[in-house]
Structure formats: C-alpha cells, structure tokens
Amino acid sequence: MADSLVVLSKRAEFLRAARARRQGTGSMMVQGRKRAPGEASGIRVGFTCSKKVGNAVARNRAKRRLREAARLVLPEHGRAGWDYVLIGRAEATAARPFEALQQDLRYALRRIHGES
C-alpha cells in the first residue's frame, strides 16, 4: 500500500487518534482513526509508553519494538488515509516474543477496520 510510514509528532494528532477506535491486545493498545479527506496522505503512526511501562530505558525498549513491528506490519495491513497510535503496556510489550507482537498488531488492525 504505502511505501513509507509517516510518524506522528504533534500532541493534537495523538489526541485525535485517542478519540477514535481502539483495540487492546496482550502486548499493546492500538488506536486508529480514518482521517478527513485532504488532511494528509499515506499511513501515519505514533508510538507512546506511559511511565507505568517502567523507567526511560524500559519505555524506549518497548517503543523500539513497537516501531519495528509497525514497520513490518503496517505497510501490508494498515490502510492509507488512517492514523494509528501504538501504546506500550507494562512488562508485556518488552517481554512478548516479537512474532507474537506482530500477530497482536495484525489482530488489532483487523478489529479496528471492522474485519473479524
């Protein structure tokens, strides 16, 4: 679908995604929103981890894993014209096997898009 992912950086973009659809999995929470026409192109994605995940080292490790999973999964399973925010979970995001992390993201995307 999209050649590259655009990373969300503005707080307002994260807040708009937070008001949209969400789907929790064992290792992360995924929020997704269909953008208004003409707002931006391609797939946009943001990453966040609260302090519940741990100290700065633990949060950064969790975000690195989420970024890599998004890089591998979103071009194939994400939809152009959508914003996604991946939220790390305490202990689970860093400890989950990477293949399971990718499966969690695929599952969450199917549910957000209304597929079973």
Side-chain angles (χ1 to χ4, degrees):
M1 287 208 160
D3 296 330
S4 65
L5 302 174
V6 177
V7 178
L8 298 176
S9 57
K10 293 186 172 62
R11 183 169 189 269
E13 296 168 335
F14 281 86
L15 292 176
R16 280 195 294 272
R19 289 192 299 268
R21 300 177 186 171
R22 62 185 67 200
Q23 178 63 48
T25 68
S27 61
M28 72 184 84
M29 170 72 76
V30 180
Q31 299 171 333
R33 126 184 139 86
K34 186 163 177 43
R35 290 190 304 269
E39 192 176 333
S41 61
I43 298 173
R44 299 193 311 178
V45 62
F47 307 93
T48 186
C49 290
S50 74
K51 288 193 175 183
K52 289 180 193 172
V53 173
N55 62 14
V57 174
R59 290 193 307 271
N60 286 334
R61 180 165 190 258
K63 283 193 279 191
R64 275 196 308 273
R65 298 187 88 222
L66 290 175
R67 273 194 295 272
E68 183 62 12
R71 187 184 71 80
L72 295 172
V73 172
L74 280 177
E76 185 178 341
H77 296 279
R79 293 188 180 169
W82 281 68
D83 288 348
Y84 302 100
V85 175
L86 279 57
I87 303 169
R89 292 213 162 157
E91 283 128 40
T93 304
R96 192 134 166 101
F98 190 68
E99 184 56 43
L101 196 72
Q102 291 176 281
Q103 280 301 115
D104 287 348
L105 180 54
R106 287 186 197 103
Y107 167 79
L109 290 173
R110 281 195 310 273
R111 295 297 302 265
I112 285 172
H113 295 141
E115 303 161 14
S116 53

